[in-house]
Amino acid sequence: MLTIYNTLTKKKEKFEPINPPDVKMYTCGPTVYDYFHIGNARSFVMADMVRRYLEFKGYNVTFVMNLTDVDDKIIKKSREEQLNFNEVSKKYIKAFFEDIKKLKIKKADIYPKATENINDIIKMIEILEEKGFAYNVDGNVFYDVAKFKEYGKLSGKNIDELVSGSRIEINEEKKNPLDFALWKKAKEGEPYWESKWGKGRPGWHIECSAMSCKHLGGYFDIHAGGNDLIFPHHENEIAQSVAANDKPFVKYWLHFGFLNIEDEKMSKSLGNFFTTREVLKKYSAEAIRLFFAQAYYRGPLNFSYELLDAAERGASKLKNLAEIINREIKKNRTDGNLPAINISIFEEKFTAAMDDDFNTAQGVAVIFDFAKEVNRLIAENEKIKADFYLNVKNFLERTAAGVLGIIDFEAAKTVAGEGLSSDLIELLIEIRLNAKKNKNFALADEIRNKLKKLGVELRDSKEGTTYKMVK
RNA sequence: GGCGGCGUAGCCAAGCGGUCUAAGGCGAAGGUCUGCAAAACCUUUAUUCGUCGGUUCGAAUCCGACCGCCGCCUCCA
């Protein structure tokens, strides 16, 4: 039984989809004004694991992630780069897709963009206005927070206290400092769309309400995002959606903890960030995902290259195993032993861990226990039938690869890269083997060392010599 | 000021009332295998969970106080 910690109720709750086996899930995506940093990546990766696990459980998941492609930061950037705002967003949308692909994040079913849903957004604001939840001040439309009784419920905030202790800028036009913009009047040189309130663009919060409603209906199962979105973004989404649709908005709210640097939140504004791009140049997707998966998604996690080094070493352990499995399956051996391994127990443990509010750290532990057991059996048995490896691979494919994405059997295929041919490598291995037989270890070592420099690592075993490509 | 979170081995990090003399990863030490490497395996590495009290037959887990750290309350994953 899957349980999920729900930010709304501050409790772990039994997961019961509104319309099983369908699960509708929405995650706040990037504002495409720059490359996203590795802290953003944590949210995207963890949302990906949640989604994959729901699919593993047999749910039919519809996963939607929005792209905020018009907003103040994009406009600012476009001025700096002297580009049209949509050239900026286009550039970073492209980069976003490149990066999440490298992170091996499964693509969402739909990536709605704010600029492509302006009509729906306007329609929703009109409804809010008709119902008295919104007011227009000279082309700026605000949400009237005081009209929504449950405002503050998600974030546990009290409206009166918010106002008194707040750092909110006083805006003369707003009735209440907490009121937020639904529609922003266009200033000179800003992008705009026509509306009954004049030329303008949507506020940030309304796009998520309008687009989630459009693609998932007004009430859906899971809404996820970073901790910092709880207030005001998600609070505002609730206010908008519930007021407009007259029904509850989201059943389970999921929030991801921050990635910190030296105990401080990684953020663009603090400048203490690493782009996912640069991290991906040094580390594999599996290592990055393992690093994230080893911690509870909700809590804070410190980032450093030292920690990623450790994760990379851990991931290579799984990668080595994947290589052996691939190789042995290729051999298709029908003689030898079929060592007993109780895969269903590991699967039960894995499922129990993940069922407990996506305890990926525990899930990872199960995978490493499993890998150790498999390695032990490989070491203990002279020859093992291919069936053993097929069973082992099947389990890892569904869990470590399919849910967590911390192992990749495709990438683990030892294929020679640029300027290297596998036939030539095999030839050198053969020559080296002869040298070894003749006790010419100097030559044998020379071949091994020189190949290493070319990125080919040789490994001797009782089964013969194998090679793997290393960075 | 209001609200929320965190403090577990050298490092990261699960566990959240008994199975905990506390997972897993990294690191370290020793060993097996090996011509040497690499990989892999085996053994060791927290009688203790920020501090001090309390509740309980029983606490890392619940309660209180205190210390330290962080986040949200303005854009932010």
Side-chain angles (χ1 to χ4, degrees), chain A residues 324 339 372-384 388-389 462:
Chain A
I324 292 170
K372 182 172 271 191
E373 176 76 3
V374 171
N375 276 322
R376 218 193 77 230
L377 293 170
I378 291 172
E380 280 175 1
N381 290 272
E382 191 79 19
K383 286 179 180 174
I384 298 178
F388 171 79
Y389 292 101
K462 57 192 174 196

PDB file of all heavy atoms in Angstrom, chain A residues 324 339 372-384 388-389 462, chain B residues 32-33 39-41:
ATOM      1  N   ILE A 324      28.657  -7.051 -16.799  1.00  0.00           N
ATOM      2  CA  ILE A 324      28.800  -8.505 -16.677  1.00  0.00           C
ATOM      3  C   ILE A 324      27.521  -9.187 -17.141  1.00  0.00           C
ATOM      4  O   ILE A 324      27.551 -10.155 -17.894  1.00  0.00           O
ATOM      5  CB  ILE A 324      29.113  -8.882 -15.205  1.00  0.00           C
ATOM      6  CG1 ILE A 324      30.514  -8.378 -14.838  1.00  0.00           C
ATOM      7  CG2 ILE A 324      29.017 -10.384 -15.012  1.00  0.00           C
ATOM      8  CD1 ILE A 324      30.830  -8.478 -13.353  1.00  0.00           C
ATOM      9  N   PRO A 339      22.358 -20.620  -9.890  1.00  0.00           N
ATOM     10  CA  PRO A 339      22.356 -20.326  -8.446  1.00  0.00           C
ATOM     11  C   PRO A 339      21.002 -19.808  -7.995  1.00  0.00           C
ATOM     12  O   PRO A 339      20.327 -19.096  -8.731  1.00  0.00           O
ATOM     13  CB  PRO A 339      23.416 -19.238  -8.289  1.00  0.00           C
ATOM     14  CG  PRO A 339      24.143 -19.185  -9.586  1.00  0.00           C
ATOM     15  CD  PRO A 339      23.258 -19.741 -10.634  1.00  0.00           C
ATOM     16  N   LYS A 372      25.059  -7.007  -4.421  1.00  0.00           N
ATOM     17  CA  LYS A 372      26.086  -7.717  -3.663  1.00  0.00           C
ATOM     18  C   LYS A 372      25.840  -9.227  -3.699  1.00  0.00           C
ATOM     19  O   LYS A 372      26.754 -10.015  -3.916  1.00  0.00           O
ATOM     20  CB  LYS A 372      26.109  -7.210  -2.218  1.00  0.00           C
ATOM     21  CG  LYS A 372      27.181  -7.846  -1.372  1.00  0.00           C
ATOM     22  CD  LYS A 372      27.282  -7.170  -0.020  1.00  0.00           C
ATOM     23  CE  LYS A 372      28.257  -6.011  -0.059  1.00  0.00           C
ATOM     24  NZ  LYS A 372      28.580  -5.483   1.271  1.00  0.00           N
ATOM     25  N   GLU A 373      24.606  -9.591  -3.524  1.00  0.00           N
ATOM     26  CA  GLU A 373      24.222 -11.003  -3.557  1.00  0.00           C
ATOM     27  C   GLU A 373      24.533 -11.617  -4.931  1.00  0.00           C
ATOM     28  O   GLU A 373      25.093 -12.708  -5.026  1.00  0.00           O
ATOM     29  CB  GLU A 373      22.726 -11.117  -3.230  1.00  0.00           C
ATOM     30  CG  GLU A 373      22.141 -12.505  -3.310  1.00  0.00           C
ATOM     31  CD  GLU A 373      22.516 -13.381  -2.119  1.00  0.00           C
ATOM     32  OE1 GLU A 373      23.200 -12.869  -1.206  1.00  0.00           O
ATOM     33  OE2 GLU A 373      22.137 -14.560  -2.118  1.00  0.00           O
ATOM     34  N   VAL A 374      24.196 -10.893  -5.964  1.00  0.00           N
ATOM     35  CA  VAL A 374      24.451 -11.393  -7.318  1.00  0.00           C
ATOM     36  C   VAL A 374      25.961 -11.532  -7.558  1.00  0.00           C
ATOM     37  O   VAL A 374      26.430 -12.558  -8.048  1.00  0.00           O
ATOM     38  CB  VAL A 374      23.828 -10.454  -8.381  1.00  0.00           C
ATOM     39  CG1 VAL A 374      24.278 -10.835  -9.786  1.00  0.00           C
ATOM     40  CG2 VAL A 374      22.311 -10.494  -8.285  1.00  0.00           C
ATOM     41  N   ASN A 375      26.698 -10.523  -7.177  1.00  0.00           N
ATOM     42  CA  ASN A 375      28.150 -10.576  -7.334  1.00  0.00           C
ATOM     43  C   ASN A 375      28.746 -11.750  -6.573  1.00  0.00           C
ATOM     44  O   ASN A 375      29.693 -12.379  -7.031  1.00  0.00           O
ATOM     45  CB  ASN A 375      28.790  -9.277  -6.841  1.00  0.00           C
ATOM     46  CG  ASN A 375      28.772  -8.195  -7.909  1.00  0.00           C
ATOM     47  OD1 ASN A 375      28.962  -8.479  -9.094  1.00  0.00           O
ATOM     48  ND2 ASN A 375      28.534  -6.968  -7.515  1.00  0.00           N
ATOM     49  N   ARG A 376      28.188 -12.000  -5.406  1.00  0.00           N
ATOM     50  CA  ARG A 376      28.696 -13.114  -4.602  1.00  0.00           C
ATOM     51  C   ARG A 376      28.470 -14.436  -5.327  1.00  0.00           C
ATOM     52  O   ARG A 376      29.367 -15.270  -5.417  1.00  0.00           O
ATOM     53  CB  ARG A 376      27.981 -13.138  -3.250  1.00  0.00           C
ATOM     54  CG  ARG A 376      28.888 -13.506  -2.086  1.00  0.00           C
ATOM     55  CD  ARG A 376      28.087 -13.822  -0.831  1.00  0.00           C
ATOM     56  NE  ARG A 376      27.511 -15.153  -0.936  1.00  0.00           N
ATOM     57  CZ  ARG A 376      26.231 -15.414  -0.699  1.00  0.00           C
ATOM     58  NH1 ARG A 376      25.409 -14.459  -0.333  1.00  0.00           N
ATOM     59  NH2 ARG A 376      25.781 -16.636  -0.818  1.00  0.00           N
ATOM     60  N   LEU A 377      27.291 -14.603  -5.863  1.00  0.00           N
ATOM     61  CA  LEU A 377      26.965 -15.837  -6.576  1.00  0.00           C
ATOM     62  C   LEU A 377      27.836 -15.995  -7.816  1.00  0.00           C
ATOM     63  O   LEU A 377      28.261 -17.094  -8.160  1.00  0.00           O
ATOM     64  CB  LEU A 377      25.479 -15.851  -6.953  1.00  0.00           C
ATOM     65  CG  LEU A 377      24.527 -15.949  -5.754  1.00  0.00           C
ATOM     66  CD1 LEU A 377      23.082 -15.704  -6.183  1.00  0.00           C
ATOM     67  CD2 LEU A 377      24.664 -17.311  -5.076  1.00  0.00           C
ATOM     68  N   ILE A 378      28.111 -14.869  -8.474  1.00  0.00           N
ATOM     69  CA  ILE A 378      28.970 -14.926  -9.657  1.00  0.00           C
ATOM     70  C   ILE A 378      30.379 -15.376  -9.251  1.00  0.00           C
ATOM     71  O   ILE A 378      31.006 -16.190  -9.921  1.00  0.00           O
ATOM     72  CB  ILE A 378      29.023 -13.544 -10.352  1.00  0.00           C
ATOM     73  CG1 ILE A 378      27.662 -13.218 -10.972  1.00  0.00           C
ATOM     74  CG2 ILE A 378      30.102 -13.542 -11.447  1.00  0.00           C
ATOM     75  CD1 ILE A 378      27.544 -11.806 -11.519  1.00  0.00           C
ATOM     76  N   ALA A 379      30.836 -14.845  -8.122  1.00  0.00           N
ATOM     77  CA  ALA A 379      32.178 -15.197  -7.658  1.00  0.00           C
ATOM     78  C   ALA A 379      32.260 -16.655  -7.212  1.00  0.00           C
ATOM     79  O   ALA A 379      33.291 -17.305  -7.364  1.00  0.00           O
ATOM     80  CB  ALA A 379      32.578 -14.270  -6.509  1.00  0.00           C
ATOM     81  N   GLU A 380      31.153 -17.159  -6.692  1.00  0.00           N
ATOM     82  CA  GLU A 380      31.158 -18.521  -6.144  1.00  0.00           C
ATOM     83  C   GLU A 380      31.004 -19.605  -7.195  1.00  0.00           C
ATOM     84  O   GLU A 380      31.338 -20.753  -6.957  1.00  0.00           O
ATOM     85  CB  GLU A 380      30.012 -18.676  -5.134  1.00  0.00           C
ATOM     86  CG  GLU A 380      30.330 -18.108  -3.773  1.00  0.00           C
ATOM     87  CD  GLU A 380      29.126 -18.170  -2.847  1.00  0.00           C
ATOM     88  OE1 GLU A 380      28.061 -18.669  -3.266  1.00  0.00           O
ATOM     89  OE2 GLU A 380      29.262 -17.698  -1.703  1.00  0.00           O
ATOM     90  N   ASN A 381      30.437 -19.243  -8.330  1.00  0.00           N
ATOM     91  CA  ASN A 381      30.139 -20.268  -9.337  1.00  0.00           C
ATOM     92  C   ASN A 381      31.027 -20.124 -10.565  1.00  0.00           C
ATOM     93  O   ASN A 381      31.152 -19.044 -11.134  1.00  0.00           O
ATOM     94  CB  ASN A 381      28.675 -20.182  -9.766  1.00  0.00           C
ATOM     95  CG  ASN A 381      27.733 -20.621  -8.656  1.00  0.00           C
ATOM     96  OD1 ASN A 381      27.428 -21.792  -8.537  1.00  0.00           O
ATOM     97  ND2 ASN A 381      27.322 -19.680  -7.827  1.00  0.00           N
ATOM     98  N   GLU A 382      31.582 -21.228 -10.955  1.00  0.00           N
ATOM     99  CA  GLU A 382      32.474 -21.267 -12.113  1.00  0.00           C
ATOM    100  C   GLU A 382      31.716 -20.866 -13.382  1.00  0.00           C
ATOM    101  O   GLU A 382      32.097 -19.954 -14.100  1.00  0.00           O
ATOM    102  CB  GLU A 382      33.049 -22.681 -12.257  1.00  0.00           C
ATOM    103  CG  GLU A 382      34.180 -22.797 -13.249  1.00  0.00           C
ATOM    104  CD  GLU A 382      35.504 -22.311 -12.657  1.00  0.00           C
ATOM    105  OE1 GLU A 382      35.612 -22.234 -11.405  1.00  0.00           O
ATOM    106  OE2 GLU A 382      36.412 -22.003 -13.433  1.00  0.00           O
ATOM    107  N   LYS A 383      30.616 -21.549 -13.605  1.00  0.00           N
ATOM    108  CA  LYS A 383      29.812 -21.268 -14.800  1.00  0.00           C
ATOM    109  C   LYS A 383      28.348 -21.119 -14.400  1.00  0.00           C
ATOM    110  O   LYS A 383      27.827 -21.909 -13.607  1.00  0.00           O
ATOM    111  CB  LYS A 383      29.920 -22.421 -15.809  1.00  0.00           C
ATOM    112  CG  LYS A 383      31.248 -22.465 -16.531  1.00  0.00           C
ATOM    113  CD  LYS A 383      31.288 -23.638 -17.492  1.00  0.00           C
ATOM    114  CE  LYS A 383      32.629 -23.680 -18.222  1.00  0.00           C
ATOM    115  NZ  LYS A 383      32.754 -24.888 -19.052  1.00  0.00           N
ATOM    116  N   ILE A 384      27.717 -20.106 -14.961  1.00  0.00           N
ATOM    117  CA  ILE A 384      26.313 -19.872 -14.630  1.00  0.00           C
ATOM    118  C   ILE A 384      25.496 -19.775 -15.908  1.00  0.00           C
ATOM    119  O   ILE A 384      25.921 -19.147 -16.895  1.00  0.00           O
ATOM    120  CB  ILE A 384      26.162 -18.561 -13.818  1.00  0.00           C
ATOM    121  CG1 ILE A 384      26.928 -18.669 -12.492  1.00  0.00           C
ATOM    122  CG2 ILE A 384      24.702 -18.238 -13.565  1.00  0.00           C
ATOM    123  CD1 ILE A 384      26.883 -17.423 -11.639  1.00  0.00           C
ATOM    124  N   PHE A 388      19.959 -17.314 -15.344  1.00  0.00           N
ATOM    125  CA  PHE A 388      20.201 -16.592 -14.102  1.00  0.00           C
ATOM    126  C   PHE A 388      20.335 -15.098 -14.375  1.00  0.00           C
ATOM    127  O   PHE A 388      19.706 -14.263 -13.729  1.00  0.00           O
ATOM    128  CB  PHE A 388      21.485 -17.125 -13.442  1.00  0.00           C
ATOM    129  CG  PHE A 388      21.954 -16.317 -12.263  1.00  0.00           C
ATOM    130  CD1 PHE A 388      21.359 -16.458 -11.017  1.00  0.00           C
ATOM    131  CD2 PHE A 388      23.001 -15.404 -12.402  1.00  0.00           C
ATOM    132  CE1 PHE A 388      21.807 -15.716  -9.931  1.00  0.00           C
ATOM    133  CE2 PHE A 388      23.444 -14.661 -11.320  1.00  0.00           C
ATOM    134  CZ  PHE A 388      22.841 -14.815 -10.082  1.00  0.00           C
ATOM    135  N   TYR A 389      21.150 -14.802 -15.367  1.00  0.00           N
ATOM    136  CA  TYR A 389      21.385 -13.397 -15.692  1.00  0.00           C
ATOM    137  C   TYR A 389      20.135 -12.727 -16.251  1.00  0.00           C
ATOM    138  O   TYR A 389      19.897 -11.539 -16.021  1.00  0.00           O
ATOM    139  CB  TYR A 389      22.552 -13.276 -16.669  1.00  0.00           C
ATOM    140  CG  TYR A 389      23.870 -13.656 -16.037  1.00  0.00           C
ATOM    141  CD1 TYR A 389      24.441 -14.904 -16.253  1.00  0.00           C
ATOM    142  CD2 TYR A 389      24.523 -12.765 -15.194  1.00  0.00           C
ATOM    143  CE1 TYR A 389      25.640 -15.255 -15.660  1.00  0.00           C
ATOM    144  CE2 TYR A 389      25.715 -13.102 -14.586  1.00  0.00           C
ATOM    145  CZ  TYR A 389      26.283 -14.361 -14.820  1.00  0.00           C
ATOM    146  OH  TYR A 389      27.459 -14.694 -14.222  1.00  0.00           O
ATOM    147  N   LYS A 462      39.146 -15.165 -14.469  1.00  0.00           N
ATOM    148  CA  LYS A 462      39.316 -16.573 -14.834  1.00  0.00           C
ATOM    149  C   LYS A 462      38.585 -16.888 -16.142  1.00  0.00           C
ATOM    150  O   LYS A 462      38.918 -17.821 -16.844  1.00  0.00           O
ATOM    151  CB  LYS A 462      38.825 -17.469 -13.702  1.00  0.00           C
ATOM    152  CG  LYS A 462      37.389 -17.234 -13.321  1.00  0.00           C
ATOM    153  CD  LYS A 462      37.039 -17.936 -12.020  1.00  0.00           C
ATOM    154  CE  LYS A 462      35.630 -17.550 -11.608  1.00  0.00           C
ATOM    155  NZ  LYS A 462      35.314 -17.856 -10.232  1.00  0.00           N
TER     156      LYS A 462
ATOM    157  P     U B  32      45.238 -13.479   1.836  1.00  0.00           P
ATOM    158  OP1   U B  32      46.062 -14.697   2.035  1.00  0.00           O
ATOM    159  OP2   U B  32      45.794 -12.301   1.129  1.00  0.00           O
ATOM    160  O5'   U B  32      43.893 -13.902   1.091  1.00  0.00           O
ATOM    161  C5'   U B  32      43.176 -15.057   1.515  1.00  0.00           C
ATOM    162  C4'   U B  32      41.994 -15.284   0.585  1.00  0.00           C
ATOM    163  O4'   U B  32      41.108 -14.132   0.640  1.00  0.00           O
ATOM    164  C3'   U B  32      42.347 -15.388  -0.887  1.00  0.00           C
ATOM    165  O3'   U B  32      42.785 -16.696  -1.218  1.00  0.00           O
ATOM    166  C2'   U B  32      41.013 -15.054  -1.542  1.00  0.00           C
ATOM    167  O2'   U B  32      40.127 -16.153  -1.520  1.00  0.00           O
ATOM    168  C1'   U B  32      40.485 -13.957  -0.619  1.00  0.00           C
ATOM    169  N1    U B  32      40.794 -12.598  -1.113  1.00  0.00           N
ATOM    170  C2    U B  32      40.008 -12.099  -2.140  1.00  0.00           C
ATOM    171  O2    U B  32      39.102 -12.732  -2.644  1.00  0.00           O
ATOM    172  N3    U B  32      40.332 -10.839  -2.563  1.00  0.00           N
ATOM    173  C4    U B  32      41.336 -10.031  -2.066  1.00  0.00           C
ATOM    174  O4    U B  32      41.506  -8.910  -2.542  1.00  0.00           O
ATOM    175  C5    U B  32      42.111 -10.626  -1.006  1.00  0.00           C
ATOM    176  C6    U B  32      41.821 -11.859  -0.583  1.00  0.00           C
ATOM    177  P     C B  33      43.996 -16.900  -2.264  1.00  0.00           P
ATOM    178  OP1   C B  33      44.203 -18.360  -2.389  1.00  0.00           O
ATOM    179  OP2   C B  33      45.120 -16.016  -1.893  1.00  0.00           O
ATOM    180  O5'   C B  33      43.373 -16.372  -3.621  1.00  0.00           O
ATOM    181  C5'   C B  33      42.316 -17.100  -4.265  1.00  0.00           C
ATOM    182  C4'   C B  33      41.814 -16.299  -5.441  1.00  0.00           C
ATOM    183  O4'   C B  33      41.283 -15.030  -4.964  1.00  0.00           O
ATOM    184  C3'   C B  33      42.889 -15.873  -6.428  1.00  0.00           C
ATOM    185  O3'   C B  33      43.168 -16.911  -7.354  1.00  0.00           O
ATOM    186  C2'   C B  33      42.229 -14.683  -7.102  1.00  0.00           C
ATOM    187  O2'   C B  33      41.281 -15.076  -8.071  1.00  0.00           O
ATOM    188  C1'   C B  33      41.513 -14.023  -5.930  1.00  0.00           C
ATOM    189  N1    C B  33      42.312 -12.949  -5.309  1.00  0.00           N
ATOM    190  C2    C B  33      42.281 -11.677  -5.904  1.00  0.00           C
ATOM    191  O2    C B  33      41.600 -11.497  -6.925  1.00  0.00           O
ATOM    192  N3    C B  33      43.013 -10.676  -5.351  1.00  0.00           N
ATOM    193  C4    C B  33      43.743 -10.907  -4.256  1.00  0.00           C
ATOM    194  N4    C B  33      44.429  -9.894  -3.746  1.00  0.00           N
ATOM    195  C5    C B  33      43.791 -12.192  -3.633  1.00  0.00           C
ATOM    196  C6    C B  33      43.068 -13.176  -4.191  1.00  0.00           C
ATOM    197  P     A B  39      38.769  -1.271  -8.845  1.00  0.00           P
ATOM    198  OP1   A B  39      38.045   0.009  -8.757  1.00  0.00           O
ATOM    199  OP2   A B  39      39.521  -1.777  -7.682  1.00  0.00           O
ATOM    200  O5'   A B  39      37.752  -2.421  -9.287  1.00  0.00           O
ATOM    201  C5'   A B  39      36.856  -2.198 -10.373  1.00  0.00           C
ATOM    202  C4'   A B  39      36.179  -3.495 -10.719  1.00  0.00           C
ATOM    203  O4'   A B  39      37.174  -4.476 -11.097  1.00  0.00           O
ATOM    204  C3'   A B  39      35.431  -4.163  -9.574  1.00  0.00           C
ATOM    205  O3'   A B  39      34.148  -3.601  -9.400  1.00  0.00           O
ATOM    206  C2'   A B  39      35.349  -5.597 -10.075  1.00  0.00           C
ATOM    207  O2'   A B  39      34.394  -5.751 -11.095  1.00  0.00           O
ATOM    208  C1'   A B  39      36.753  -5.761 -10.671  1.00  0.00           C
ATOM    209  N9    A B  39      37.711  -6.268  -9.688  1.00  0.00           N
ATOM    210  C8    A B  39      38.644  -5.559  -8.974  1.00  0.00           C
ATOM    211  N7    A B  39      39.366  -6.301  -8.155  1.00  0.00           N
ATOM    212  C5    A B  39      38.868  -7.573  -8.341  1.00  0.00           C
ATOM    213  C6    A B  39      39.197  -8.824  -7.769  1.00  0.00           C
ATOM    214  N6    A B  39      40.162  -8.978  -6.855  1.00  0.00           N
ATOM    215  N1    A B  39      38.507  -9.907  -8.163  1.00  0.00           N
ATOM    216  C2    A B  39      37.534  -9.754  -9.084  1.00  0.00           C
ATOM    217  N3    A B  39      37.126  -8.634  -9.699  1.00  0.00           N
ATOM    218  C4    A B  39      37.841  -7.576  -9.287  1.00  0.00           C
ATOM    219  P     A B  40      33.548  -3.486  -7.964  1.00  0.00           P
ATOM    220  OP1   A B  40      32.230  -2.849  -8.113  1.00  0.00           O
ATOM    221  OP2   A B  40      34.567  -2.916  -7.056  1.00  0.00           O
ATOM    222  O5'   A B  40      33.355  -5.018  -7.547  1.00  0.00           O
ATOM    223  C5'   A B  40      32.380  -5.821  -8.209  1.00  0.00           C
ATOM    224  C4'   A B  40      32.528  -7.242  -7.768  1.00  0.00           C
ATOM    225  O4'   A B  40      33.843  -7.729  -8.133  1.00  0.00           O
ATOM    226  C3'   A B  40      32.471  -7.467  -6.260  1.00  0.00           C
ATOM    227  O3'   A B  40      31.145  -7.460  -5.783  1.00  0.00           O
ATOM    228  C2'   A B  40      33.130  -8.829  -6.148  1.00  0.00           C
ATOM    229  O2'   A B  40      32.270  -9.861  -6.596  1.00  0.00           O
ATOM    230  C1'   A B  40      34.277  -8.668  -7.150  1.00  0.00           C
ATOM    231  N9    A B  40      35.483  -8.129  -6.500  1.00  0.00           N
ATOM    232  C8    A B  40      35.900  -6.828  -6.460  1.00  0.00           C
ATOM    233  N7    A B  40      37.007  -6.653  -5.780  1.00  0.00           N
ATOM    234  C5    A B  40      37.336  -7.921  -5.334  1.00  0.00           C
ATOM    235  C6    A B  40      38.399  -8.407  -4.548  1.00  0.00           C
ATOM    236  N6    A B  40      39.371  -7.644  -4.062  1.00  0.00           N
ATOM    237  N1    A B  40      38.423  -9.747  -4.280  1.00  0.00           N
ATOM    238  C2    A B  40      37.440 -10.511  -4.763  1.00  0.00           C
ATOM    239  N3    A B  40      36.388 -10.164  -5.516  1.00  0.00           N
ATOM    240  C4    A B  40      36.394  -8.848  -5.763  1.00  0.00           C
ATOM    241  P     C B  41      30.860  -7.034  -4.301  1.00  0.00           P
ATOM    242  OP1   C B  41      29.412  -6.849  -4.189  1.00  0.00           O
ATOM    243  OP2   C B  41      31.781  -5.945  -3.908  1.00  0.00           O
ATOM    244  O5'   C B  41      31.281  -8.335  -3.480  1.00  0.00           O
ATOM    245  C5'   C B  41      30.655  -9.588  -3.737  1.00  0.00           C
ATOM    246  C4'   C B  41      31.411 -10.678  -3.029  1.00  0.00           C
ATOM    247  O4'   C B  41      32.760 -10.754  -3.564  1.00  0.00           O
ATOM    248  C3'   C B  41      31.634 -10.443  -1.539  1.00  0.00           C
ATOM    249  O3'   C B  41      30.503 -10.830  -0.793  1.00  0.00           O
ATOM    250  C2'   C B  41      32.834 -11.341  -1.273  1.00  0.00           C
ATOM    251  O2'   C B  41      32.480 -12.697  -1.235  1.00  0.00           O
ATOM    252  C1'   C B  41      33.668 -11.062  -2.523  1.00  0.00           C
ATOM    253  N1    C B  41      34.606  -9.925  -2.354  1.00  0.00           N
ATOM    254  C2    C B  41      35.823 -10.139  -1.674  1.00  0.00           C
ATOM    255  O2    C B  41      36.079 -11.263  -1.240  1.00  0.00           O
ATOM    256  N3    C B  41      36.673  -9.104  -1.517  1.00  0.00           N
ATOM    257  C4    C B  41      36.358  -7.894  -2.000  1.00  0.00           C
ATOM    258  N4    C B  41      37.232  -6.904  -1.825  1.00  0.00           N
ATOM    259  C5    C B  41      35.133  -7.652  -2.681  1.00  0.00           C
ATOM    260  C6    C B  41      34.285  -8.684  -2.833  1.00  0.00           C
TER     261        C B  41
END
